[in-house]
Amino acid sequence: METPVFETGPDRLPLVTETGRVYFGLQHSSAPELNRRVVELFEYLNRHIGFRDNESGRHQQQCFNLILRYAYPEIMIDLADLVYVQHERPMVFLNLDHIDGNRRADRNAPLRNLSDEDMNHEMEFLFRSLAHAIRHDRDLAEDPVVVRLLAESYSTYLVLTENFPWDQGLTDLIPPIDEPVLDVATGLTGFGILHDWPEDRAPLYLSDSMPFIIEALTHYRDCIGKKNVEIVDARFPDGVDGAPRFGWMQVSKFLHHLQREDRRAFLKWALRQLKPGGRMMIVDTDLEYQILKEAQKPEYRDKLMPGYLETLVDIEDKFCHNLVEDVREAGFVVEDFEFHEFFDETDAYSYYPGDTLSLQFLGFEIVAEKVM
């Protein structure tokens, strides 16, 4: 078992030193709102977490503070992806090219005796270790200050760049209706949906259970001034407290996170919450089930991005078949059911670029109506 890099005890070494507080990389950034939050976050973490007080800990402290010294503003996005949404964004790396460029421009760069290769390997390891430490420490992962700073940074970055992580195209999927629309467990797709939702469309409700997503979407909505979108905290399969009845529910790549009995409970709630004539569209795959099955082979598992496997939910075989039957059993009329088998060779889930994995999975779409 590996010795943890970070610790929270009273005898720990500081997380941030004067070497890191230079923040040389931020000095040439054109994103002051992101820069401010980088400094604020790491100073806040410095009060709660640090390094072991031994020779190894001191070396790791030195190397980690080079990350801070040469940090780029988007490091907040990379950290948030690893801490909160690695399930949706498995391919996240520290931008070592950016850090190396800042390091070469620094005339007073410390630790010049270490090669770029050695330094980069150490910094990537330490950055992932920090994300792991935060993710697995509930007090830190759910700390309101940590959540706020990472959420606002994510939102600010997307306001500046409109470089949305996922594009669902919800506006084009839904026919013009007057009744409210609910997107279930919206996740990172919510940013693009929110941006594209027309001002003259029916009210849109974006739901999620993760404080990071709720806070980031709320901040983004307020920044762009969208008036007909609500962000709601929803714990499925229980549903949305106090929500109106909807004319459309969009359920995209979510139900594979629930065990079958919980999925059935969700479908019953959805039927109650839809207006008569309302529709639910389900888009999903059994990709993660197939990855979990293949990951039983050590040679396959060892290629996967560290931390990704633990984000997956082990559901039953025949998920696709069971789901369409459960939709009917809940009382819906299935208007349309399409499925396709996909084969792919990709490094999208691999730690090393070019280290491809074979994927074979089903993708499907269900449109179901509440007739009474």
Side-chain angles (χ1 to χ4, degrees):
M1 184 176 179
E2 290 187 1
T3 303
V5 172
F6 297 95
E7 67 170 48
T8 57
D11 297 327
R12 67 183 184 271
L13 297 174
L15 180 72
V16 184
T17 67
E18 293 309 308
T19 295
R21 286 192 177 97
V22 172
Y23 289 107
F24 180 87
L26 300 182
Q27 294 174 16
H28 305 288
S29 163
S30 59
E33 286 302 304
L34 286 176
N35 296 347
R36 175 178 62 79
R37 290 183 174 94
V38 172
V39 176
E40 190 175 344
L41 175 69
F42 285 103
E43 289 296 342
Y44 184 78
L45 289 175
N46 189 48
R47 303 179 206 166
H48 300 277
I49 195 170
F51 296 92
R52 290 169 295 119
D53 189 4
N54 56 29
E55 184 177 352
S56 176
R58 286 187 285 276
H59 174 72
Q60 289 168 338
Q61 182 193 52
Q62 284 183 305
C63 292
F64 179 81
N65 275 271
L66 292 186
I67 299 176
L68 301 186
R69 187 181 183 95
Y70 304 124
Y72 47 94
E74 297 85 356
I75 198 170
M76 298 287 276
I77 314 307
D78 297 336
L79 185 59
D81 280 339
L82 288 172
V83 171
Y84 296 117
V85 288
Q86 190 179 17
H87 176 79
E88 296 188 68
R89 299 267 288 173
M91 287 288 285
V92 177
F93 298 93
L94 190 64
N95 191 331
L96 294 170
D97 288 341
H98 206 145
I99 286 177
D100 288 345
N102 288 334
R103 187 182 178 210
R104 286 191 293 270
D106 183 6
R107 294 180 179 179
N108 300 310
L111 299 182
R112 285 188 177 274
N113 57 310
L114 293 180
S115 69
D116 286 349
E117 182 177 356
D118 290 341
M119 184 63 66
N120 288 350
H121 177 78
E122 184 76 5
M123 287 193 292
E124 176 72 28
F125 167 73
L126 290 171
F127 187 65
R128 288 189 174 277
S129 296
L130 176 67
H132 183 274
I134 296 172
R135 186 169 68 241
H136 291 275
D137 184 329
R138 187 170 180 177
D139 289 340
L140 276 179
E142 298 180 3
D143 185 291
V145 176
V146 175
V147 172
R148 175 181 62 80
L149 290 171
L150 288 173
E152 290 179 358
S153 296
Y154 220 98
S155 166
T156 301
Y157 170 76
L158 292 176
V159 170
L160 294 172
T161 67
E162 296 188 0
N163 183 23
F164 301 113
W166 295 106
D167 183 12
Q168 188 187 64
L170 184 63
T171 304
D172 298 329
L173 290 175
I174 301 175
I177 58 174
D178 296 327
E179 295 86 2
V181 172
L182 172 68
D183 189 59
V184 172
T186 192
L188 293 179
T189 61
F191 292 103
I193 294 171
L194 209 165
H195 177 270
D196 294 342
W197 193 251
E199 297 281 0
D200 59 354
R201 292 289 295 265
L204 170 66
Y205 288 73
L206 300 177
S207 67
D208 209 279
S209 63
M210 186 179 293
F212 166 75
I213 294 291
I214 296 292
E215 191 146 350
L217 287 174
T218 301
H219 184 266
Y220 182 77
R221 179 200 60 190
D222 295 345
C223 284
I224 66 174
K226 194 68 63 118
K227 302 297 185 184
N228 60 338
V229 179
E230 296 291 335
I231 317 298
V232 294
D233 186 349
R235 307 284 165 164
F236 296 108
D238 298 331
V240 182
D241 290 337
R245 299 182 76 186
F246 298 100
W248 188 282
M249 286 189 190
Q250 188 70 28
V251 190
S252 295
K253 297 181 181 177
F254 166 66
L255 291 179
H256 66 262
H257 291 277
L258 301 181
Q259 299 297 335
R260 191 173 187 185
E261 287 308 307
D262 286 337
R263 293 199 303 268
R264 285 170 165 163
F266 166 79
L267 292 170
K268 289 177 182 177
W269 174 85
L271 187 74
R272 293 194 304 270
Q273 207 64 35
L274 279 169
K275 292 184 175 183
R279 288 173 171 80
M280 175 177 62
M281 175 182 280
I282 298 172
V283 179
D284 221 316
T285 79
D286 68 349
L287 171 62
E288 294 176 9
Y289 169 77
Q290 299 299 338
I291 291 177
L292 279 169
K293 189 166 67 172
E294 290 297 315
Q296 295 175 19
K297 307 170 188 173
E299 64 274 17
Y300 193 99
R301 182 175 61 249
D302 292 345
K303 288 184 178 182
L304 290 169
M305 183 68 69
Y308 176 65
L309 203 58
E310 67 191 56
T311 71
L312 307 186
V313 177
D314 190 7
I315 55 174
E316 81 279 7
D317 193 12
K318 297 184 179 179
F319 163 63
C320 174
H321 171 82
N322 290 344
L323 182 56
V324 72
E325 290 303 312
D326 291 342
V327 169
R328 291 190 176 106
E329 185 180 298
F332 286 95
V333 173
V334 175
E335 293 183 337
D336 187 42
F337 173 45
E338 299 180 9
F339 68 92
H340 302 280
E341 191 168 17
F342 296 93
F343 301 87
D344 198 7
E345 296 278 341
T346 179
D347 62 358
Y349 304 94
S350 304
Y351 186 41
Y352 296 105
D355 204 356
T356 60
L357 294 166
S358 297
L359 301 175
Q360 180 179 347
F361 61 97
L362 288 177
F364 58 91
E365 180 181 298
I366 301 169
V367 179
E369 181 182 7
K370 176 179 178 176
V371 295
M372 293 180 61

